[in-house]
Amino acid sequence: MAPRANWKGFLRLSLVTCPVALYPATSESEKISFNQLNRQTGHRIRYLKVDADTGDEVPNEDIVKGYELDKGQYIEVTKEELEEIALESTRTIEIDEFVDKADIDPRYLIRPYYIRPDGKVGHDAFAVIRETIREMNKVAIGRVVLTSREHIIALEPMDKGLVGTLLRYPYEVRSEQEYFEDIQQVKLTKDMLDLAKHIVNQKAGRFDPDKFEDHYETALIDLINQKRAGKPITPKSKPAATNVVDLMEALRRSVGKEAAPAKAEKPVKKPRKAAAGQKEMLMSIEGKKPAKEGVAKKPAAGARRKSA
């Protein structure tokens, strides 16, 4: 099934305009998620919208938005009033300027989206905008309205399309001074820095996201499989905390550790392909294809829910 666009509209650079569609570049759907249950019955918990004072459930048509001025004092804002102040540029990504990528503080980055031409027309205009950004080696800064709010968006070419990353406004980014001002100024010796640089050189490599594994997600899958198979859950021993007394000695030991032969190291697991999906590693459940290796059979219907 083709992906569903989050937003459709137009991309405009001065008088050059083309229809585009915007799609989320990331997904959380493959992660293990939990529902809240009633321990006594095993039934799922359902949340109701209730009046905070009376406790009565309130139907959706009677729920309005309100801004709290003071404790218990609100200014009611209707849907019609919000529509009145809606921005006109709800369907256009207007490119305002071009900047160097290095100028964008990473704290301002929110989330990425894929942008491609929408439909069969406008591919030539889209290509002109994309290749201009690529040739100039710049990032295009524009504005886009999502869920009634205007966002800053940074556009970069990727293959035949564009990646648009939403950016935060300055008031959304906290100042680092209140967190860093109490950090002590310390003087480091050249030997310490040389040893640390040596460790860095031994660990140097190229960023490859396929090498990384979500160990917590894997542990969740193992836990669920063990519980469904009726196996006892035994807590793992936690590693003892170590207290570094001699920084120089710790650096020397680190250099020796990183220089150890590769055969002495724990073999790195080959990562699963993203397309396979984390949840395919779970035990087979009705309507889903069972995993190929090391999967226990589905417990009998009578074993509805077991505790650890």
Side-chain angles (χ1 to χ4, degrees), residues 28-46:
E28 299 285 323
S29 62
E30 283 297 328
K31 284 190 173 182
I32 298 295
S33 59
F34 294 100
N35 293 312
Q36 292 188 325
L37 307 177
N38 182 336
R39 185 192 297 273
Q40 303 299 324
T41 65
H43 299 158
R44 185 173 174 179
I45 299 298
R46 183 165 64 96

Side-chain angles (χ1 to χ4, degrees), residues 14 43 71 102 118 145 174 187 228 265:
S14 189
H43 299 158
K71 188 172 178 61
D118 184 31
V145 177
R174 294 175 176 174
K187 186 175 181 179
R228 291 192 63 182
E265 297 178 358

Side-chain angles (χ1 to χ4, degrees), residues 63-79 81-82 85:
I63 297 176
V64 297
K65 296 181 182 294
Y67 176 79
E68 188 173 22
L69 284 177
D70 203 353
K71 188 172 178 61
Q73 183 181 1
Y74 301 90
I75 289 182
E76 183 180 315
V77 181
T78 67
K79 180 182 178 180
E81 289 170 336
L82 290 174
I85 65 169

Side-chain angles (χ1 to χ4, degrees), residues 128-236:
V128 166
I129 296 173
R130 180 195 65 214
E131 293 309 309
T132 300
I133 299 173
R134 195 193 307 272
E135 290 293 327
M136 297 296 292
N137 196 25
K138 296 283 187 178
V139 176
I141 303 296
R143 291 163 286 127
V144 62
V145 177
L146 295 173
T147 61
S148 302
R149 298 296 295 264
E150 186 176 59
H151 300 268
I152 310 167
I153 189 167
L155 305 173
E156 300 176 77
M158 175 179 280
D159 194 25
K160 296 188 293 183
L162 292 170
V163 173
T165 304
L166 296 188
L167 303 179
R168 294 182 173 89
Y169 287 100
Y171 68 82
E172 297 177 283
V173 178
R174 294 175 176 174
S175 170
E176 73 280 5
Q177 292 303 319
E178 57 184 305
Y179 303 97
F180 297 164
E181 62 183 357
D182 294 334
I183 298 178
Q184 297 179 11
Q185 292 282 2
V186 296
K187 186 175 181 179
L188 301 175
T189 66
K190 183 178 182 301
D191 289 342
M192 286 182 177
L193 291 176
D194 287 343
L195 285 171
K197 291 176 183 178
H198 188 66
I199 296 170
V200 171
N201 288 330
Q202 287 176 316
K203 286 180 168 289
R206 295 187 63 183
F207 178 72
D208 180 5
D210 287 335
K211 293 190 299 185
F212 300 103
E213 179 184 352
D214 188 338
H215 295 288
Y216 182 71
E217 185 80 0
T218 301
L220 279 178
I221 292 172
D222 292 340
L223 173 64
I224 293 171
N225 281 338
Q226 289 181 55
K227 291 180 74 70
R228 291 192 63 182
K231 296 180 180 179
I233 306 299
T234 55
K236 296 180 180 179

Side-chain angles (χ1 to χ4, degrees), residues 1-12:
M1 181 181 294
R4 183 178 178 182
N6 270 31
W7 180 94
K8 289 187 176 184
F10 296 90
L11 175 63
R12 183 161 62 202

